[in-house]
């Protein structure tokens, strides 16, 4: 089984699908890693990473003699609560490509056992730590005392990772090895061929000033409206207050402790996102996000109201949020300011635009990493509407959640992201603004410009995002506030060097 992070999303690349029908020729360094895996469990430290749908499409075409089955959260497997269902799903199946949660649930309910698996392939193996689904599988069903009796019937394990270290210590390698009962290895005998496929980009650091400019009148008005909302105003709280069952009382106590209902928490999160966008991008982007968020909330509330009037289920949260923002709209004039006014761009956005103007070429293919989903949307809007960015056609790409759990102010749509990613592959877009979901696994074209607009949180993120700049003569740009030094970057480079040395040493032993 190939296990992939549950919060990631991917789709197969057309070119990759076409190529998948051709015979697969292993490279020498890949054969070297395979031979090492035959001597014991290993975690292969490679740059080639795939996610569930991509792997299923590729492997099923390469190995037509075997029956493959793809199972993800989109299949609603959490409702497969009988052995009969699982037996039908897995009947005559040789290879299952799955997300970790699917396998964990199947093992926990006893519908499957690790002894039923010959080889367990763990993609993005560095996630097998702490309380992750991957590590829970290993601790409960591989290392557990009652699993020791399985002996040779436990599966072989092949882990894939570009960076087995996430934080600051090379000792994390030992922890990962213990969790996966494996050894970290990197190619040595065929190193020349391996490095021929790895292009190290030029590193550039851009320092920016903090945004000290005052917020727009629209943001000030929004904050004033949201700050006056009390839990007693929310119909959901009033309904709970009139109930006497234990579950309702517990919900009400939790609301009183937080001083917020779910709707109020979402409004406050919207307020915080607007403030963050103003800080990072400036007034224009902030006001554009407020206007779009308000419009979406009002449309959703209207639809919910119409459904309720026709006898459908009531969504009090959406309707309450809509009522608050209706008051806000009536007390304000949501017109986005002119982006051409210098004060409507943050110093950070100005620095980014200057860099993009300088780096542009007709063959440019760029990727901008940001921390938050809302920033990805707002920065994309800013780039696509600013006159100095006329050479760029940008789109945003963030992790796609279950539509049933999507927040009111979340603009991500799985279908639209899919379409835009395909256009990016075809060259119809030349710039992608993405969260960390695009750091690893998802197939995208090799970039010649990768910009970390927000600081990478750890070494793994730094290595993965830099690995996207795979074209020759590519550039990797890191933004940092002027008051900060480059100490963290130097620490990551040192840690990466030590990590490689440890993996090479373990290969020799």
């Amino acid at each position: 089984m190939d296990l992939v992070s549950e919060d990631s999303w991917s789709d197969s690349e057309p070119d990759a699908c076409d190529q998948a029908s051709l015979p697969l020729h292993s490279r020498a360094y890949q054969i070297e890693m395979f031979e090492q895996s035959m001597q014991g469990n290993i975690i292969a430290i490679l740059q080639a990473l795939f996610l569930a749908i991509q792997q299923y499409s590729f492997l099923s075409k390469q190995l037509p003699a075997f029956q493959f089955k793809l199972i993800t959260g989109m299949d609603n497997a959490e409702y497969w609560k009988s052995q009969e269902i699982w037996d039908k799903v897995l009947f005559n199946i040789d290879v299952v490509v799955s997300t970790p949660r699917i396998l964990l649930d199947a093992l926990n309910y006893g519908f499957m056992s690790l002894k039923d698996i010959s080889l367990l392939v763990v993609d993005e193996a560095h996630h097998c730590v702490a309380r992750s689904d991957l590590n829970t599988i290993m601790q409960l069903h591989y290392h557990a005392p009652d699993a020791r009796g399985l002996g040779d019937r436990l599966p072989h394990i092949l882990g894939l990772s570009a960076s087995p270290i996430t934080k600051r210590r090379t000792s994390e390698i030992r922890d990962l090895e213990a969790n996966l009962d494996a050894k970290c290895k990197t190619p040595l005998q065929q190193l020349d061929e391996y490095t021929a496929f790895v292009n190290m980009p030029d590193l550039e650091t851009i320092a920016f000033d903090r945004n000290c400019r005052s917020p727009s009148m629209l943001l000030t008005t929004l904050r004033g409206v949201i700050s006056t909302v009390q839990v007693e105003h929310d119909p959901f709280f009033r309904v709970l207050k009139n109930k006497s069952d234990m579950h309702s009382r517990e919900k009400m106590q939790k609301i009183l402790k937080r001083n917020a209902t779910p709707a109020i928490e979402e409004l406050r999160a919207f307020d915080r996102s607007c403030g963050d966008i103003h800080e990072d991008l400036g007034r224009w982007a902030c006001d554009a996000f407020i206007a779009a968020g308000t419009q979406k909330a009002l449309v959703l509330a209207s639809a919910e109201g119409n459904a309720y009037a026709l006898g459908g289920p009531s969504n009090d949260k959406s309707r309450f949020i809509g009522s608050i923002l209706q008051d806000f709209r009536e007390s304000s004039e949501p017109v986005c300011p002119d982006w051409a006014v210098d004060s409507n761009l943050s110093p950070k956005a100005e620095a980014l635009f200057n860099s993009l103007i300088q780096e542009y070429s007709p063959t440019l293919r760029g990727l901008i990493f940001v921390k938050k989903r809302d920033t990805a949307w707002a920065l994309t809007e800013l780039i696509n509407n600013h006159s100095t960015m006329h050479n760029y056609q940008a789109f945003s790409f963030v992790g796609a959640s279950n539509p049933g759990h999507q927040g009111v102010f979340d603009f991500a749509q799985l279908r639209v992201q899919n379409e835009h990613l395909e256009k990016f592959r075809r060259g119809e877009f030349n710039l992608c603004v993405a969260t960390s979901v695009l750091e690893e696994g998802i197939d995208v074209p090799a970039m010649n410009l990768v910009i970390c607009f927000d600081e990478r949180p750890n070494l793994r993120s730094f290595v993965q995002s830099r690995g996207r700049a795979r074209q020759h003569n590519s550039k990797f740009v890191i933004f940092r506030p002027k008051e900060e030094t480059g100490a963290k970057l130097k620490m990551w480079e040192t840690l990466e060097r030590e990590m490689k040395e440890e993996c090479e040493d373990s290969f020799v032993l």
Side-chain angles (χ1 to χ4, degrees), residues 235-251:
F236 176 67
F237 178 78
R238 294 199 294 268
V239 170
L240 286 179
K241 196 173 182 180
N242 292 328
K243 291 184 176 181
S244 57
D245 62 280
M246 182 62 68
H247 184 60
S248 297
R249 305 305 294 178
E250 288 176 353
K251 278 188 175 181

Side-chain angles (χ1 to χ4, degrees), residues 174-189:
R174 306 283 84 82
D175 296 336
L176 188 62
E177 289 176 333
N179 293 343
L180 284 169
D181 189 26
K183 295 292 292 183
C184 285
K185 305 288 184 180
T186 191
L188 287 182
Q189 298 172 18

Side-chain angles (χ1 to χ4, degrees), residues 50 52 129 133 205 283 340 392:
F50 303 91
V129 294
D133 289 340
T205 301
R283 293 174 182 166
Y392 288 96

Side-chain angles (χ1 to χ4, degrees), residues 442-490:
I442 299 174
D443 284 340
V444 293
M447 308 290 166
N448 48 23
L449 177 65
V450 173
I451 298 175
C452 295
F453 188 67
D454 291 325
E455 182 183 60
R456 298 296 84 196
N458 50 52
L459 171 67
R460 174 181 57 79
S461 182
F462 167 75
V463 172
Q464 298 276 22
S465 56
R466 185 188 61 190
R468 288 301 190 183
R470 299 194 305 272
Q471 287 193 22
H472 288 287
N473 300 318
S474 58
K475 181 174 286 188
F476 181 56
V477 182
I478 295 178
F479 274 65
R480 65 171 178 83
K482 281 186 177 179
E483 66 269 18
E484 292 185 7
T485 65
K488 183 173 290 187
L489 178 59
K490 293 179 181 177

Side-chain angles (χ1 to χ4, degrees), residues 214-268:
S214 59
S216 68
M217 183 59 68
L218 197 63
L219 176 56
T220 302
T221 303
L222 176 69
R223 286 176 165 172
V225 169
I226 293 177
S227 65
T228 62
V229 181
Q230 304 296 321
V231 293
E232 293 82 4
H233 300 159
D234 192 336
F236 176 67
F237 178 78
R238 294 199 294 268
V239 170
L240 286 179
K241 196 173 182 180
N242 292 328
K243 291 184 176 181
S244 57
D245 62 280
M246 182 62 68
H247 184 60
S248 297
R249 305 305 294 178
E250 288 176 353
K251 278 188 175 181
M252 191 175 72
Q253 290 302 318
K254 187 177 293 186
I255 288 172
L256 291 173
K257 184 177 180 179
R258 296 178 178 176
N259 192 31
T261 62
I264 294 175
E265 287 183 342
E266 194 155 356
L267 282 167
R268 291 174 181 172

